[in-house]
């Protein structure tokens, strides 16, 4: 009998195919906190709220809308998740990565993931963009449990979590558009607490440049299925040596900072997708 988890993925896929006849996305895009507005500029958009998709959860995080959007970006067909599921919301990892597996079975050739992240590297300022070149996973691994052989191997390679070709291409686009981009390591923790000063120090000493509460499970699920990934973090709060007496990390500020950077991120993603599509 077919794995019940695979059945669940296929049920969602069939539902989406019934709603969007002829769906053929080139890329899947996950829009993080405060970055959902990229979803609003998708052309010829067909929107399916998550609550209508069998098996999908409802996103409760701030700055997350909870829609699957199919349409065109840079003239190419894309499927975007306007809002994601986080482990800290209480969902099992299987739910967190379900949409990634669904997008994979819908045929995406690339996955773009975005997030709002805290700066760990002292050089990073609020509003900076960071291309994720590698990650450190401190969340539970979404592949724990019996392997779904139809999706990928038991022990997936993780030597190249983020695609070097896509990174090089994005660097070229950023230079052409005059948009600054850091290259850095993203560390994923469970949240929902922000870090203590000692944790930020610890993560810096471990080689992290930014920290967030998402993304890595999705990247692991995509790499399990051999889908090339590009990841972008928007830096929404800065690391400090010494925190002022009135300093606080605040979720609303994170969303505001991400929103302010969304136009630059959007310009980069549109150009990349348009280039990839032209080469098809
Ligand atoms: N830590 C974890 N997650 C985050 C942060 C942070 O400082 N900023 C935005 N998301």
């Amino acid at each position: 009998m077919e794995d019940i988890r695979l059945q669940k993925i296929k049920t969602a896929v069939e539902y989406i195919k019934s709603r969007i006849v002829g769906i053929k996305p080139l890329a899947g895009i996950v829009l993080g906190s405060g970055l959902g507005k990229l979803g609003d500029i998708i052309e010829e958009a067909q929107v399916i709220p998550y609550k209508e998709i069998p098996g999908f959860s409802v996103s409760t995080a701030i700055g997350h809308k909870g829609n699957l959007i199919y349409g065109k970006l840079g003239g190419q067909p894309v499927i975007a998740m306007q809002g994601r599921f986080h482990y800290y919301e209480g969902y099992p990892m299987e739910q967190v990565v379900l949409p990634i597996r669904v997008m994979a079975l819908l045929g995406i050739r690339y996955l773009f993931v975005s997030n709002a992240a805290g700066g760990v590297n002292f050089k990073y300022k609020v509003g900076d963009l960071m291309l994720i070149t590698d990650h450190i996973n401190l969340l539970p691994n979404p592949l724990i449990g019996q392997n779904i052989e139809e999706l990928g191997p038991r022990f997936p390679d993780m030597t190249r979590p983020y695609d070097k070709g896509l990174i090089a291409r994005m660097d070229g686009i950023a230079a052409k558009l005059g948009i600054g981009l850091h290259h850095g390591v993203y560390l994923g923790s469970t949240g929902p607490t922000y870090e203590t000063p000692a944790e930020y120090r610890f993560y810096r000493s471990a080689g992290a440049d930014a920290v967030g509460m998402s993304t890595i499970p999705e990247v692991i699920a995509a790499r399990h299925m051999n889908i090339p990934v590009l990841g972008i973090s928007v830096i929404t709060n800065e690391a400090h040596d010494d925190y002022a007496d009135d300093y606080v990390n605040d979720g609303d500020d994170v969303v505001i900072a991400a929103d302010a950077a969304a136009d630059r991120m959007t310009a980069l993603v549109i150009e990349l997708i348009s280039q990839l599509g032209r080469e098809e």
Side-chain angles (χ1 to χ4, degrees), residues 59-264:
S59 180
T60 65
I62 51 168
H64 287 254
K65 285 192 186 171
N67 291 317
L68 199 71
I69 306 176
Y70 181 67
K72 290 203 165 153
L73 208 59
Q76 304 302 324
V78 297
I79 186 157
M81 286 176 63
Q82 203 174 33
R84 59 154 59 88
F85 307 117
H86 303 81
Y87 186 66
Y88 68 71
E89 292 175 88
Y91 299 120
M93 273 299 172
E94 198 188 308
Q95 283 302 105
V96 173
V97 301
L98 173 68
I100 306 300
R101 290 172 163 165
V102 167
M103 292 196 290
L105 267 62
L106 286 169
I108 59 165
R109 310 268 295 278
Y110 308 95
L111 179 71
F112 300 115
V113 286
S114 65
N115 58 56
V120 170
N121 187 321
F122 284 131
K123 294 191 185 125
Y124 291 8
K125 302 294 170 216
V126 170
D128 283 1
L129 297 177
M130 181 188 95
L131 271 190
I132 308 176
T133 54
D134 203 342
H135 70 222
I136 297 171
N137 186 28
L138 297 185
L139 285 146
N141 195 301
L143 303 182
I144 289 172
Q146 197 183 358
N147 186 45
I148 308 178
E149 291 294 328
E150 292 84 347
L151 299 183
R154 169 74 294 187
F155 299 109
D157 176 61
M158 269 291 171
T159 314
R160 288 163 215 88
Y162 301 88
D163 189 81
K164 287 198 169 163
L166 292 176
I167 290 172
R169 203 185 266 272
M170 197 51 128
D171 281 336
I173 292 168
K176 195 176 82 184
L177 299 181
I179 295 174
L181 268 186
H182 299 294
H183 278 193
V185 174
Y186 176 93
L187 183 145
S189 72
T190 64
T193 45
Y194 290 113
E195 285 62 36
T196 65
E199 285 165 342
Y200 283 117
R201 261 198 314 277
F202 173 43
Y203 294 166
R204 195 158 40 242
S205 73
D209 295 293
V211 55
M213 308 172 190
S214 67
T215 304
I216 296 180
E218 298 154 7
V219 173
I220 290 174
R223 296 304 299 136
H224 181 227
M225 298 179 290
N226 207 24
I227 292 174
V229 177
L230 183 91
I232 304 182
S233 292
V234 176
I235 304 302
T236 58
N237 44 289
E238 289 166 20
H240 295 271
D241 243 339
D242 195 13
Y243 288 85
D245 286 344
D246 60 351
Y247 182 89
V248 280
N249 275 325
D250 174 82
D252 292 325
D253 291 344
V254 164
V255 173
I256 292 166
D259 186 65
D263 289 346
R264 270 175 292 134

